[in-house]
C-alpha cells in the first residue's frame, strides 16, 4: 500500500513525522498486525528478524493488537488466566523485537472485548501482565479493554457478525478515533 499522504507544512519537521507544535506533516506509514496474526509464529518471527528487507521495515508506527485467543481460562480453573512461561517468553521476545525495530516505533494494544470470552477478570489479568511487560521494554501500550467492554455492555457498540469478534460501524469508528487521537502523542 502507498503511504498515507498528509499535507506538508512550510516549516521543516521537528522530529520524525512531526511538524511544529506536534502537528503531523509529510509522509506517514503505519503497519498493523491485528488479530489474524499469530503471536508466536508470525509476530515473534517478524520482530526477532526485523531488517531492511522485512515486510513493513521503515514504517513510522507498527501497531500490534493482542487477541481474544490469548484471554483463556485454565482448563482446571476457567476463571484464572492461562498465562504461562511460554506465553510470557513470546511476549518478551516480541516486545524486545519492538524495542530493536528502531526507527520504527511499536505500539501494543490490549485485547478488546469479545463475545467469545465473557469473563472480565481474564481480560483485566491479561492486560495487567501485557502492560507491565510493555512498560519494562519502553513500548507504548494502549489499554483499550475497558472502553470496548463498557461500550458493548452499554449497548453502544455491537459485534456485527457470527464470529462475535468484529465490531459493527460504531465500534470501528470509536477504535479508529482512539487511534487517530493518539497518533500525535506517539509520533
Amino acid at each position: 500500500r502507498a503511504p498515507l499522504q498528509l499535507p506538508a507544512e512550510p516549516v521543516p519537521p521537528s522530529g520524525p513525522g512531526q511538524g511544529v507544535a506536534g502537528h503531523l506533516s509529510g509522509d506517514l506509514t503505519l503497519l498493523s498486525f491485528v488479530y489474524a496474526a499469530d503471536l508466536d509464529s508470525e509476530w515473534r518471527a517478524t520482530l526477532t528478524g526485523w531488517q531492511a528487507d522485512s515486510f513493513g521495515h521503515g514504517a513510522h508506527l507498527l501497531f500490534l493488537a493482542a487477541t481474544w485467543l490469548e484471554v483463556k481460562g485454565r482448563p482446571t480453573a476457567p476463571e484464572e488466566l492461562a498465562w504461562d512461561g511460554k506465553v510470557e517468553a513470546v511476549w518478551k521476545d516480541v516486545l524486545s523485537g519492538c524495542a530493536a525495530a528502531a526507527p520504527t516505533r511499536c505500539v501494543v494494544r490490549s485485547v478488546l472485548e469479545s463475545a467469545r470470552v465473557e469473563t472480565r477478570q481474564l481480560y483485566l489479568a491479561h492486560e495487567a501482565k501485557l502492560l507491565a511487560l510493555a512498560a519494562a521494554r519502553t513500548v507504548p501500550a494502549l489499554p483499550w479493554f475497558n472502553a470496548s467492554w463498557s461500550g458493548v455492555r452499554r449497548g453502544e457498540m455491537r459485534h456485527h457478525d457470527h464470529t462475535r469478534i468484529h465490531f459493527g460501524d460504531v465500534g470501528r469508528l470509536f477504535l479508529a478515533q482512539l487511534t487517530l487521537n493518539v497518533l500525535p502523542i506517539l509520533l
Side-chain angles (χ1 to χ4, degrees):
R1 293 183 180 222
L4 175 67
Q5 297 293 317
L6 299 174
E9 293 186 11
V11 179
S14 59
Q18 291 188 345
V20 176
H23 295 289
L24 296 176
S25 66
D27 294 339
L28 175 67
T29 306
L30 304 176
L31 179 63
S32 179
F33 282 130
V34 291
Y35 62 89
D38 177 69
L39 175 64
D40 192 9
S41 66
E42 292 177 288
W43 290 6
R44 179 190 252 178
T46 298
L47 291 168
T48 57
W50 193 259
Q51 54 192 15
D53 63 349
S54 296
F55 174 77
H57 188 272
H60 291 85
L61 291 173
L62 171 60
F63 283 92
L64 303 172
T67 75
W68 69 270
L69 290 169
E70 298 170 39
V71 182
K72 296 182 268 191
R74 296 182 187 281
T76 57
E79 71 285 351
E80 292 179 25
L81 183 66
W83 178 291
D84 58 17
K86 181 182 178 204
V87 172
E88 186 161 331
V90 173
W91 268 114
K92 284 180 177 179
D93 284 351
V94 167
L95 293 168
S96 293
C98 279
T104 297
R105 186 160 189 206
C106 289
V107 181
V108 66
R109 187 203 72 204
S110 64
V111 177
L112 301 175
E113 188 278 346
S114 166
R116 291 184 178 189
V117 179
E118 296 186 5
T119 307
R120 186 170 193 263
Q121 291 72 22
L122 292 175
Y123 289 101
L124 294 173
H126 183 276
E127 187 172 77
K129 290 179 179 294
L130 179 58
L131 296 181
L133 290 176
R137 283 153 186 79
T138 64
V139 174
L142 306 173
W144 291 349
F145 164 70
N146 273 326
S148 65
W149 179 270
S150 296
V152 169
R153 295 302 175 272
R154 290 180 180 189
E156 301 294 329
M157 295 168 41
R158 291 174 185 75
H159 297 285
H160 75 84
D161 62 9
H162 68 282
T163 66
R164 300 172 290 162
I165 57 175
H166 300 112
F167 285 109
D169 288 344
V170 171
R172 290 177 185 163
L173 289 170
F174 176 69
L175 295 171
Q177 190 64 48
L178 285 174
T179 303
L180 291 172
N181 285 341
V182 79
L183 282 179
I185 298 166
L186 295 172
L187 296 171

